[in-house]
Amino acid sequence: MSRKKNKSKGQRGVAAALATFQGDSMAIDTEVTSVQDSTAPTDGELTSTTISAGLKRPCPEDDHEDGGGWQTIENGRPVKKLKKIPGQESKRYPGIHFSTQARLFSKINVSSLRDLILYIFADGPAPQWVSVKHRPEFRKIVAIMVPGLDEAMFKKGLDFSAYTGPTPDQAISGGGAPDPDEYYPRELKKELLPEVLQPFADMFPHLWPVKAPGDDKYGKLHSPMPAMLTAPLPKSKGTGIQPVSEPHGWKNQRTRITEFLATNEELMEHGFPVHPAMLNPGEKRDKFKDPEGWVHTRVENLEDGKVPEGEVQQGSVTAGREVYALDCEMCMTGEAEYSLTRISLVSWDGSVVLDELVKPDKPIIDYVTRFSGITKEMIDPINTTLKDIQARLLDILGPRSILLGHSLDSDLKALKLAHPFIVDTSLLFPHPRGLPLKQSLKYLAQKFLNREVQKGGGTNAGHDSIEDAKTCLDLVKRKCEKGKAWGAGESQGENLFKRLARAGTAYRSTAGPEATGGAPVGKSSAAVDWGDVSRSAGNAATVTISCKSDAEVEAGILRAVKGDPDGLEVPGGGVDFVWARMRELEALRGWWNRNKLVPQDAGGPPALTDGDKKEDEEEEQDDATSPLETCLKTLGERLKRIYDNLPPCTAFIVYTGTGDPREMSRLQAMQAQFKKEYNTPGSKWDQLSVQWTDREDQALRRALKVARSGIGFIGVK
């Protein structure tokens, strides 16, 4: 006790002397100065001093960790140092643990992993499926998406040369309540794993079943990217729609409207009326006949719509085409039957070309005034019929005319009109959860135009078809100004990187006494991915690193974690959160969606040349090692190198995003072909090239279950 008292007196004496010295020097120079010894530590423990602060050398007997650096004195009292990083055996070492007592009644989701990240580093809710120990001690988080892995691979004695993955039938569970074996994490034991995957047991205690986002009702698999990289809006921000904000470094790419024309396949898939110009030359096209009461615009061939470059004004986004925005209002003339009662057509310059009320052929049983704005008093004196409107539209619309609108298929069906050149804002700005869900025009106006429309919806005022048409027109104009990527990935939430930068939290152990109890400081982040990361959701990260191989991804992760020596691109000491994706296994197994990317595209799958294929075949014959086993071995070694180079107290997450999507994709393509042929005028059901019955529908549901069965791994370095 006496020793501690003497030490305290000594500190007070030195502090008093320093305070006296600073008081004398205040009259000479009142600027805040910092004192630093050339041998002082450079890890951030030495900070600038205020007028009432000083520095002292600790006593020789003081228990210090920096080998004798300066100690900061404020108001005559020493400032406590930041806690050093705890050792593996320390009681305050962070951890993520699973217990059978956890509230786990189903598979975790990709969003569960995202929420775990938000809980550790920001304002996310505490997870109920794992226990997070000593959260303030976490220094970094690294999350890597590795499509191509599945749970069946992690069984000893597996023959990778014949491995194809689980079949849809194997994914069907028994009836009744789910078996905990389906959703409880599986303990990883090194001796029970294939040799090439044994490094996983050195990094992670469990293999977690992770359910990919999707919609079982409609047989849809949603992208796991928005599920991970989009955070739900916090309650404090309310339910209001936040206007879209352009990411840092965004550059507009002026784009012609013709780039947004829906393809024939898209038009048929979404139920648009079939125009004969959309059909391939042949018997079906020659025998095409409009259904009774229907008409089609005077377009012989799709090529007739193209305007020679010599006639296109330089810089024109309309590409010499006539563009009209269309919106209609309907009233009910039968049970689930709607008929046209108003049509509005607006040209590209915003002038109204056509705005007419229409009297249906059948009596109106419900005017749906709260939505349509149509009343009995408005329609009674009208003599204009649907045929009159059709005749006027056929005079206005020609081969070089483009119709745009929102969910335009409904308007064209009400008009009983077919036209092949369509731009639909419900397709340009897709719903984050995929079709058949669509964003409302009201939401799109608020999100992308910061404009309130359809204020009369739900009242007697109803909608204004001219206002709706002009809103669609402005949305397309904005899209032409900004480029294809603008608004394509927006979802009803907040970008994960933006959330961490806005709401990232630091604690006393990492930010000093001022952060006692947690302080909002923002967290830096990095996105490391194939292709141009600046054109994806990763563009909001502090640092973006674009790659062309998994080797570059590995190097990019380590660079982001450690930081650049000069700190010019990656901050010194590295970023707090890293998200990355490795794709070579995905490409090898055929999980890569090659409909969207080809090998020549930036970020496309690696293409094998004939020479590469022969080389692989020779290696397989010589070494009796399958390409899959070789790829898995490389992947395991790559992840282990990353893990070994992570600093202590780093949370490490690896997840697949989805399960095997190949069978699901095959059946979905088959379903799309069936719909295309079935909706073609003149086709006969029993003569279609493909059939879609309840048998195929059930097969799709089983394949979807496989595609939604991903896995994940969670550990702490």
Side-chain angles (χ1 to χ4, degrees), residues 36-223:
Q36 183 172 355
D37 188 86
S38 60
T39 61
T42 58
D43 59 358
E45 293 182 0
L46 180 63
T47 59
S48 298
T49 61
T50 61
I51 294 175
S52 61
L55 297 171
K56 69 177 273 290
R57 280 282 189 179
C59 298
E61 66 269 30
D62 286 352
D63 181 19
H64 54 81
E65 302 160 3
D66 57 5
W70 290 99
Q71 182 179 1
T72 304
I73 303 295
E74 288 186 2
N75 298 322
R77 303 185 67 178
V79 175
K80 292 182 179 180
K81 298 178 182 178
L82 306 184
K83 292 182 179 180
K84 67 176 182 178
I85 296 178
Q88 291 276 356
E89 304 302 324
S90 173
K91 292 183 179 180
R92 60 186 182 90
Y93 202 84
I96 303 174
H97 306 290
F98 169 72
S99 168
T100 54
Q101 304 301 317
R103 297 181 184 176
L104 185 63
F105 304 106
S106 62
K107 290 182 180 180
I108 63 171
N109 302 315
V110 173
S111 58
S112 302
L113 300 176
R114 175 206 65 209
D115 291 343
L116 175 62
I117 295 168
L118 288 174
Y119 172 68
I120 294 175
F121 266 179
D123 54 357
Q128 302 296 314
W129 47 280
V130 286
S131 172
V132 179
K133 300 294 186 182
H134 303 291
R135 174 175 56 153
E137 300 293 346
F138 280 98
R139 266 43 176 193
K140 296 179 184 293
I141 301 177
V142 175
I144 306 176
M145 182 175 168
V146 187
L149 290 170
D150 55 53
E151 184 175 1
M153 288 178 172
F154 291 79
K155 295 180 180 179
K156 191 170 184 178
L158 194 66
D159 182 7
F160 287 105
S161 62
Y163 181 79
T164 58
T167 64
D169 291 334
Q170 292 172 339
I172 302 176
S173 61
D179 188 342
D181 289 341
E182 291 183 15
Y183 54 82
Y184 266 51
R186 166 184 157 192
E187 187 176 357
L188 289 178
K189 296 182 179 180
K190 198 168 186 177
E191 65 275 10
L192 299 181
L193 297 178
E195 183 178 354
V196 293
L197 295 176
Q198 288 181 356
F200 280 80
D202 296 330
M203 300 180 285
F204 308 104
H206 296 96
L207 179 154
W208 285 83
V210 181
K211 192 173 185 179
D215 193 323
D216 293 330
K217 180 180 179 181
Y218 296 105
K220 296 288 185 179
L221 176 70
H222 301 156
S223 171

Side-chain angles (χ1 to χ4, degrees), residues 559 562-574:
R559 178 188 171 200
K562 296 180 179 180
D564 291 340
D566 55 12
L568 294 179
E569 293 185 20
V570 184

Side-chain angles (χ1 to χ4, degrees), residues 9-23 73 75-77:
K9 289 179 180 178
Q11 288 179 340
R12 285 199 296 268
V14 174
L18 284 172
T20 302
F21 172 78
Q22 289 174 341
I73 303 295
N75 298 322
R77 303 185 67 178

Side-chain angles (χ1 to χ4, degrees), residues 574-595:
V575 299
D576 301 307
F577 170 67
V578 180
W579 177 86
R581 177 167 54 167
M582 294 183 175
R583 310 202 67 177
E584 289 180 0
L585 178 61
E586 177 186 13
L588 177 67
R589 297 201 64 196
W591 290 23
W592 199 307
N593 189 346
R594 292 174 182 265
N595 293 328

Side-chain angles (χ1 to χ4, degrees), residues 649-689:
C649 302
T650 296
F652 191 39
I653 300 172
V654 173
Y655 69 105
T656 61
T658 70
D660 189 343
R662 291 173 294 181
E663 179 65 8
M664 179 202 67
S665 298
R666 185 188 71 82
L667 290 168
Q668 286 178 338
M670 178 178 170
Q671 185 184 44
Q673 180 66 21
F674 168 79
K675 289 181 178 179
K676 177 181 177 181
E677 295 183 11
Y678 184 81
N679 291 328
T680 301
S683 62
K684 295 183 179 180
W685 183 86
D686 58 347
Q687 296 179 0
L688 304 181
S689 64

